[in-house]
């Protein structure tokens, strides 16, 4: 049965409305999804930013800590650098820069004179010999021990410094009276001048001291140091191992020393350090057999001055090698013809410890012999015992460089110092020279005579000839001859002369004869 009702119908406007609703719902859904996606993205980005912020904060904190640590390190390094700049690396006491700064500060105080400020300069005596004979390591050990003793002996308020090399200084504060200052310096001297054990040997440790006080007139650090240095030089010139206080008269000495050094520079440059000769008497033949070469400074007015006047200055000015080479070349040319004629058996020359240990003798003597034509077997090289104590093996090799070339070796100044008899067995020693300090007392001192006789007997048993130096009386000569001495030299026999022909020409001055 069919219905008679009509079907519903949709108008055109309703369809459009429904379409718009669908599009709106779709747009809203897209916007909702986009908003959700944006929210998720924002949440993700926020988390990333949060994590990045935490990482950056940690990095910043770490960087800040690193900067702080490095700043602290730099501050420490600066402090250490400042300390190193003020401390002597070898001894650990103040250095020259620190000393100068602190002395300047003390003297800048208007009350410096009233407070009592003084400078003590200390210099090790014969330190160069220690370096030359025992080596630089032993020299450093001596400096370290000297600094330790010095630092432990001064008062807590005083400053101790090493100015360089073997020179030390003390800033003495609140010194009180001059007598008290001298007492302090003498106490330092007694403590410092005690032997030191180096390489298993007891080595003398001696020093000289110069003192300068800040006076009523204002003076700078350089002035005070200059005055202390003048006083130190006066101590050394007076015999060393002593204390001297500055006096105005010492400034005149400085002028004289400066003038002396200028004159010596000219003298060496103009070859006016000339050879003189002292003959050596051989008792078996009763004639002069050899001669010792001695340096003399021929001044512009013709005066001949002994090494006591100029040798220290020559060494201080580093002119010794030049002086020796010029003088020796001249002497070898003068002595050569007499050796060739058979009138002179040998020429004896002195080589200092520094020249020996630094190789001057080994390198220059053979060259000079070749240059002058002087026979090597007629040259005797005199070396002091202290020059041979560095290292026996090394010393033997250095002596071999001379003996292999035909030269002979004399051990000079024997009987004083170490008197190391084992050297006579270990080293190629051809001749002993008995020191003049033993000879001068043999007439009156039984011990000196006994010691000289013992050395002569020992040398005889070892078949080593002996030359006695410094014979100044016939009684000394006769005692030595009776004890078996084979040769001698000294003022009683002959004083040094400029001309070798005085004793070795055909009509030469004959040697004095011994009684009996």
């Amino acid at each position: 049965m069919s219905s008679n009702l009509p079907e519903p119908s949709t108008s055109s406007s309703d369809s459009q409305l429904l379409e718009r609703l669908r599009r709106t719902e779709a747009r809203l859904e897209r916007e909702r999804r986009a908003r959700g996606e944006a929210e998720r993205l924002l949440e993700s980005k926020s988390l990333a930013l949060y994590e990045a912020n935490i990482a950056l904060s940690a990095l910043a904190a770490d960087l800040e800590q690193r900067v702080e640590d490095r700043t602290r390190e730099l501050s420490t390094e600066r402090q250490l650098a400042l300390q190193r700049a003020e401390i002597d690396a070898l001894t650990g006491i103040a250095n020259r820069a620190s000393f100068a700064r602190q002395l300047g500060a003390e003297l800048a105080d208007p009350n410096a004179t009233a407070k009592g400020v003084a400078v003590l300069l200390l210099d090790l005596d014969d330190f160069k010999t220690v370096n030359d004979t025992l080596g630089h390591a032993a020299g450093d050990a001596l400096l370290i021990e000297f600094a330790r003793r010095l630092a432990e002996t001064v008062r807590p308020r005083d400053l101790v410094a090493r100015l360089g090399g073997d020179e030390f200084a003390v800033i003495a504060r609140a010194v009180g009276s001059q007598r008290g200052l001298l007492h302090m310096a003498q106490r330092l001297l007694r403590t410092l001048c005690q032997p030191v054990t180096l390489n298993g040997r007891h080595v003398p440790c001696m020093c000289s001291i110069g003192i300068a006080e800040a006076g009523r007139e204002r003076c700078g650090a350089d002035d005070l140091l200059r005055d202390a240095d003048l006083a130190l030089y006066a101590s050394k010139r007076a015999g060393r191992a002593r204390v001297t206080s500055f006096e105005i008269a010492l400034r005149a000495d400085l002028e004289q020393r400066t003038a002396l050094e200028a004159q010596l520079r000219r003298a060496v440059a103009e070859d006016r350090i000339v050879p003189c000769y002292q003959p050596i008497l051989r008792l078996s033949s009763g004639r002069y057999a050899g001669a010792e070469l001695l340096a003399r400074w021929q001044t512009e007015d013709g005066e001949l001055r002994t090494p006591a006047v100029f040798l220290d200055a020559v060494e201080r000015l580093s002119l010794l090698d030049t002086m020796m080479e010029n003088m020796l070349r001249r002497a070898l040319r003068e002595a050569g013809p007499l050796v060739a004629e058979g009138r002179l058996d040998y020429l004896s020359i002195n080589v200092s410890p520094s020249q020996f240990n630094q190789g001057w003798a080994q390198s220059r003597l053979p060259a000079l012999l070749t240059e002058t034509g002087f026979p090597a077997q007629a040259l005797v090289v005199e070396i002091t015992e202290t020059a041979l104590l560095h290292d026996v093996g090394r010393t033997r090799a250095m002596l071999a460089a001379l003996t292999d070339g035909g030269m002979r070796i004399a051990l000079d100044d024997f009987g004083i110092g170490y008197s190391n008899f084992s050297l006579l067995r270990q080293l190629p020693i051809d001749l002993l020279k008995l020191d003049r300090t033993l000879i001068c007392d043999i007439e009156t001192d039984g011990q000196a005579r006994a010691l000289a006789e013992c050395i002569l007997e020992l040398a005889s048993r070892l078949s080593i000839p002996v030359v006695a130096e410094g014979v100044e009386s016939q009684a000394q000569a006769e005692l030595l001859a009776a004890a078996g001495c084979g040769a001698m030299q000294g003022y009683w026999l002959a004083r040094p002369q400029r001309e070798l022909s005085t004793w070795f020409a055909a009509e030469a001055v004959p040697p004095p004869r011994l009684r009996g």
Side-chain angles (χ1 to χ4, degrees):
M1 175 173 173
S2 61
S3 173
N4 294 318
L5 293 174
E7 293 182 2
S9 62
T10 302
S11 66
S12 168
S13 59
D14 290 340
S15 297
Q16 292 175 356
L17 178 60
L18 289 174
E19 183 61 29
R20 285 199 299 274
L21 287 175
R22 283 195 297 271
R23 284 199 297 271
T24 300
E25 287 180 358
R27 189 179 72 251
L28 291 174
E29 178 64 20
R30 286 195 302 274
E31 291 177 354
R32 183 183 63 78
R33 289 178 180 176
R35 192 163 48 250
E37 185 65 27
E39 288 176 354
R40 286 193 300 273
L41 182 61
L42 180 60
E43 182 178 353
S44 173
K45 293 295 184 182
S46 297
L47 179 61
L49 287 172
Y50 174 74
E51 291 174 346
N53 186 54
I54 291 176
L56 286 173
S57 297
L59 182 61
D62 180 65
L63 182 60
E64 184 177 355
Q65 184 63 46
R66 287 170 180 261
V67 170
E68 183 179 342
D69 291 344
R70 184 55 182 155
T71 302
R72 190 181 301 111
E73 289 175 7
L74 289 173
S75 177
T76 302
E77 288 175 4
R78 272 195 298 271
Q79 290 176 1
L80 291 174
L82 288 173
Q83 290 176 2
R84 285 194 294 269
E86 299 266 313
I87 298 298
D88 177 61
L90 177 65
T91 62
I93 61 177
N95 61 14
R96 177 180 285 273
S98 177
F99 176 85
R101 181 181 60 77
Q102 296 196 51
L103 180 58
E106 288 287 339
L107 297 177
D109 186 341
N111 299 316
T113 301
K115 289 165 58 179
V117 177
V119 167
L120 286 76
L121 280 188
L122 306 93
D123 189 86
L124 281 160
D125 298 331
D126 297 322
F127 176 72
K128 191 172 185 295
T129 300
V130 174
N131 264 346
D132 291 340
T133 58
L134 299 180
H136 289 279
D140 287 348
L142 177 57
L143 293 174
I144 292 169
E145 175 61 15
F146 187 87
R148 184 192 67 78
R149 291 179 182 181
L150 183 58
E152 290 180 355
T153 308
V154 299
R155 303 163 304 175
R157 61 177 174 268
D158 299 329
L159 173 77
V160 172
R162 179 184 176 217
L163 302 187
D166 62 335
E167 189 175 36
F168 294 78
V170 176
I171 298 176
R173 301 179 172 101
V175 295
S177 67
Q178 187 179 40
R179 182 177 179 181
L181 181 59
L182 284 171
H183 177 75
M184 168 188 171
Q186 292 290 353
R187 179 166 51 85
L188 280 174
L189 197 65
R190 286 192 300 271
T191 302
L192 296 171
C193 292
Q194 298 293 326
V196 176
T197 301
L198 300 174
N199 297 342
R201 293 190 178 95
H202 291 293
V203 177
C205 179
M206 308 295 285
C207 75
S208 299
I209 301 178
I211 304 173
E213 293 183 73
R216 294 184 180 278
E217 58 186 36
R218 295 295 298 278
C219 65
D222 290 342
D223 298 320
L224 200 59
L225 274 172
R226 180 202 60 202
D227 291 347
D229 186 58
L230 289 173
L232 174 63
Y233 181 77
S235 287
K236 287 187 172 293
R237 192 177 56 182
R240 305 185 179 189
R242 62 188 62 210
V243 176
T244 302
S245 292
F246 171 76
E247 298 175 355
I248 294 296
L250 293 178
R251 289 179 183 165
D253 292 343
L254 173 61
E255 295 177 1
Q256 293 176 4
R257 192 198 331 169
T258 303
L260 173 68
E261 291 177 354
Q263 292 170 13
L264 278 172
R265 287 184 187 278
R266 288 198 303 272
V268 172
E270 295 169 4
D271 199 15
R272 286 191 285 107
I273 307 297
V274 299
C276 283
Y277 308 92
Q278 185 173 43
I280 299 170
L281 173 66
R282 180 176 292 153
L283 272 66
S284 61
S285 63
R287 74 178 188 91
Y288 291 129
E292 180 177 352
L293 172 64
L294 301 169
R296 294 293 184 266
W297 172 18
Q298 190 169 41
T299 62
E300 293 178 355
D301 59 5
E303 179 187 356
L304 292 177
R305 296 187 181 181
T306 67
V309 175
F310 64 87
L311 190 57
D312 284 348
V314 166
E315 290 199 69
R316 187 169 60 250
L317 296 170
S318 300
L319 297 173
L320 182 60
D321 289 355
T322 301
M323 181 201 81
M324 277 290 294
E325 187 164 332
N326 292 343
M327 183 184 66
L328 185 56
R329 181 183 291 108
R330 191 168 174 178
L332 294 177
R333 285 173 174 159
E334 291 175 355
L338 294 170
V339 172
E341 294 170 8
R343 300 182 183 278
L344 174 67
D345 292 348
Y346 67 90
L347 183 67
S348 183
I349 68 167
N350 294 278
V351 172
S352 73
S354 61
Q355 288 180 311
F356 177 76
N357 283 292
Q358 292 171 10
W360 177 88
Q362 295 83 344
S363 63
R364 294 307 303 152
L365 290 183
L368 287 168
L369 291 173
T370 299
E371 178 185 341
T372 60
F374 191 89
Q377 64 272 16
L379 187 65
V380 173
V381 181
E382 296 188 22
I383 302 172
T384 60
E385 185 181 6
T386 54
L388 308 179
L389 295 176
H390 177 58
D391 177 270
V392 172
R394 176 175 176 268
T395 299
R396 187 184 295 111
M398 296 176 76
L399 290 176
L402 301 175
T403 57
D404 289 350
M407 290 168 268
R408 290 180 289 165
I409 305 298
L411 190 55
D412 196 16
D413 297 341
F414 198 78
I416 60 171
Y418 298 99
S419 293
N420 192 339
F421 290 96
S422 66
L423 292 177
L424 304 180
R425 180 178 58 85
Q426 299 178 69
L427 300 175
I429 305 298
D430 302 295
L431 182 68
L432 279 185
K433 300 204 74 174
L434 199 58
D435 189 73
R436 65 183 65 247
T437 57
L438 282 177
I439 307 305
C440 66
D441 293 328
I442 60 172
E443 293 179 73
T444 58
D445 187 333
Q447 289 185 333
R449 187 185 311 163
L451 182 55
E453 290 172 348
C454 285
I455 294 175
L456 288 167
E457 182 179 356
L458 174 65
S460 175
R461 289 177 178 271
L462 296 174
S463 299
I464 300 177
V466 175
V467 175
E469 299 181 291
V471 177
E472 298 188 357
S473 71
Q474 182 160 338
Q476 292 174 355
E478 290 173 351
L479 285 170
L480 289 165
C485 184
M488 58 186 67
Q489 65 185 92
Y491 280 8
W492 177 72
L493 294 160
R495 290 177 175 269
Q497 297 288 334
R498 176 66 189 88
E499 297 295 332
L500 265 171
S501 58
T502 304
W503 303 285
F504 297 99
E507 300 296 330
V509 175
R513 298 179 63 86
L514 295 178
R515 289 194 297 263

